[in-house]
Amino acid sequence: MKRWSFIGGLTVTLLLLLAMGGFGVIVTRDLTTDVERIIAGNYDAIRHVRELRAGLMRINTRYLHGKSTGQLPAGQGTFDVESAGIRARIDAMRRASALPGEVELVDRVETLADDYVRHYRQLFFVGPRDAARFTTLSDAIARGTEDITQLTQELVELNERAIFARRDAAAARGRRFGWLALGIAGFSLVVYLYTSVRLTRGVFAPLRRLRDSIQQLRERRFDAVAPVEGGEELAQIAGAFNRMAGELRAYVAESDQRATEASRTSRAILEALPYPVYIADADYAVQLMNPRAERLSAALQIPGALPGAVRKCIDDAAALGCELVGDDLRRAVELPESGEAGAPVPTYLPQVFRMAPAPGAPAGWAVLLVDVTQLRQFDQAKTKAISTLGHEVKTPVTSIRMTLHLLLEEKIGPLTADQRELVAAGRDDCERLLTVLQALLELARFESGRVPMKPVPTPPAELLAQAEAMHGSYVRGSEATVMTEGEVAALPPVLADPLHVVRVLGNFVSNAIKYRVPDTPVTLRAERRADGFVRLSVRNRTARPLSEAEQMKIFDPFYRRPEEQREGAGLGLTICREIALAHGGRVGVFCDGGQVDFYLDLRIAAAAAGHAAG
Amino acid sequence: MPPVEQASAARVARVLVVDDEASIRLGCVLALRSAGWRADGEGSARSALGRLTEGPPVYDAVVLDYAMPDLDGLALAAALPPHGRPPILLASAHGDGAAALAALRLGVWDLLAKPLVPEDLRRRVARRVRRGAAARARPTGLEAVLRQCNRCAWEEARAVLDATDDLSAECAALLRGLLYQVTGDVARARAAWPEARWWPGWERQGTEIWAELARRLG
């Protein structure tokens, strides 16, 4: 309905303005016609009177000039011309006469003019010879002139009155038209104001309220309702908006319900977890923690906060640019709660995950502290047992070895053939035992984290060059060709402790030399991987390819391939794996037909640093 | 090499073995005696210190264990003045980079890697106790440099190293690097390692650095 009142208001205003314009045109045309009439009738009459008078004046001036002296100019040419002009003017005046009484006046002027002409003719006839007659006629001419002037003046006044009357009538009409136009303008203004108010109330105000409702929705105030008002169309929009808001409200309520349930479930899981769980933002501020974590922080005298050692783990994860998960006990942290004396120090293995504390918030961290107190005790006991036993056994074994070597030299005394064979067998066992002991002790040192490891950014080319340069010391007297393949100089620096990494590569190289097809080269290679690692690998050709099962087990302690000679301790590759793990890297083997690749993956230093900075 | 024949013209060389492990000490003494030298055993660094400092110097070489309970081999070596002491051969199964560097700085460049075998022991001792004709003979380049190093005479050692021409480039680079390292010129030492094909990490390397040095200088 609003639409009709709006259109109606506009139409009325338009019609009024059109009517006013049309009326104005008519009034202007009438006025023009009046002016034309005045000019055609009245003004022409006045002009003829003026010319008539001028004609009389010219005749009188010429011929009555010598009246007093009793003289008359010779010739009547001027008179004949002027008197004919006077006659023509009177005819024209008669033709132009339109006013009441004007024709009578013209008739009278004609009569006087006839007398005037006749008197002049008599005057010309008499001439100055008859002075008395000349004077009488001159006086009659003067009187006639005066009468004509009097009468024509009346004619002029009559026409002037007519002009003034027409002017006054036009002015009155103009005034009326002005009032009418003012009235129409006022009425149009009223209609315009009325339409504007209706439009503002009926369209703009509801639209504004609808906009406010949408704004409320945008501010997630889902109880917003748009008033159903205004015209039909606006009411339809408001209705549609309210239906949409209602659906949105229902959806949000449902989502809230689901989120609440999910939150309740996760809280229940968190609470049920026997391990402390912290969820922190990027600035280490704890956003969520389970009761076990609350107890831990309280026991550490830092209620509600992350323990320092855990922060350090997050820093490590950030520096490495990855999540820290796994069962490597060397990453375990001790968090001594004030408990009973003599009890083992609670030890946790932090599992660090990336996680946003709230939807849309910047990524923070979730830390699950797996309690490994007992596990680490066992592990430490095992490592210590191996270490102690190793050292305790090693000293007597070395002295037995010395003794057996001395006896076999027979410088102290001769041996029988059987004795020599027995002692030689004992010496060989001793050698093997020592090799195994040394490797075991070393592995125990790596496992207990007592081997200092300092990864620094190192170009892969440098690591390969060192490994290539040192291959002579891995397999003494070897004639093998060891060479580096590919463009390794362009690779980015990796995080590596060169001493240990070169040792890993050396181990791979010595194995490659040992197991290669004779007279084939051993190649060192390096390539960038897609996951932020650089792969350093040692390749050789082999006559005995590794099966998949063998590839899985080859890094396990004491693993030997079937029918392999018992040489070394069987721990070399295990130590390599330990070194790789300590670098946050990985080792592996890849066998494709007759070609074997042992590889070590190390993290790209720039990627790790970039992530930490970010 | 048969050192007993070389030493027969002069006084028999006398060697002191210092090790807290009785069986190893006995083994070493027997190994040396069977080569014709006079060898004595001592079970602790303190008693060895007494034997070496009291009375006139009688020993031509000391085989010293690095790890001993009362006083370790390095401390004993440090207690003896480098010019008056007999040549010291320091043996260790656990010596790491820091221990090796400390020994080198004390002028102890004869490093032995345990476990020892009699033949190696005799060869290394023989190099330090040559006498008579053998001693007068022109020493090898390595021996000439090590002789100066054992006196902590670093400048002289460097001069001898520059003058000698019977060393492989690898061995010469190693000696040059070690000399720079013990005199604190770490940057130059580092520059020498690629030619020596060796990259020692003194603070971080495990026991293998000792074994590697013993092998390369032995």
Side-chain angles (χ1 to χ4, degrees), chain A residues 395 399 401 409 469 497 499, chain B residues 21 23 115 118 122 197 199 204:
Chain A
T395 309
S399 74
R401 178 172 175 265
E409 284 178 353
D497 184 328
L499 288 174
Chain B
E21 287 293 333
S23 55
R122 286 195 204 102
R197 293 182 170 214
W199 289 267
R204 293 175 291 128

Side-chain angles (χ1 to χ4, degrees), chain A residues 391 394-395 398-399 401-402 405-406 409 411-412 431 434 438 442 445 452 454 465-466 468-470 473 476 497 499-500 503, chain B residues 21 23-24 27-28 30-31 34 93-94 114-119 121-122 197 199-201 203-208 212 215:
Chain A
H391 281 117
K394 194 179 159 193
T395 309
T398 53
S399 74
R401 178 172 175 265
M402 172 72 107
H405 272 276
L406 272 173
E409 284 178 353
K411 285 186 174 168
I412 300 167
E431 296 288 359
L434 260 178
Q438 277 171 334
E442 185 166 29
R445 275 215 319 281
K454 221 196 284 177
Q466 288 191 22
E468 190 183 326
M470 286 177 73
S473 54
R476 308 228 161 86
D497 184 328
L499 288 174
H500 295 288
R503 182 174 167 192
Chain B
E21 287 293 333
S23 55
I24 292 174
C28 290
L30 286 176
S34 64
H94 312 297
K114 279 183 161 185
L116 297 164
V117 292
E119 193 49 45
L121 178 65
R122 286 195 204 102
R197 293 182 170 214
W199 289 267
E203 300 303 322
R204 293 175 291 128
Q205 214 154 23
T207 55
E208 64 271 15
E212 185 68 14
R215 186 180 74 76

Side-chain angles (χ1 to χ4, degrees), chain A residues 7 72 78 95 200 234 282 287 337 366 380 388 398 404 426 462 592:
Chain A
I7 291 173
L72 189 67
T78 305
R95 279 197 305 274
T200 307
L234 282 177
Q287 302 294 321
E337 301 169 32
Q380 281 175 336
T388 311
T398 53
L404 297 176
E462 200 172 288
D592 181 17

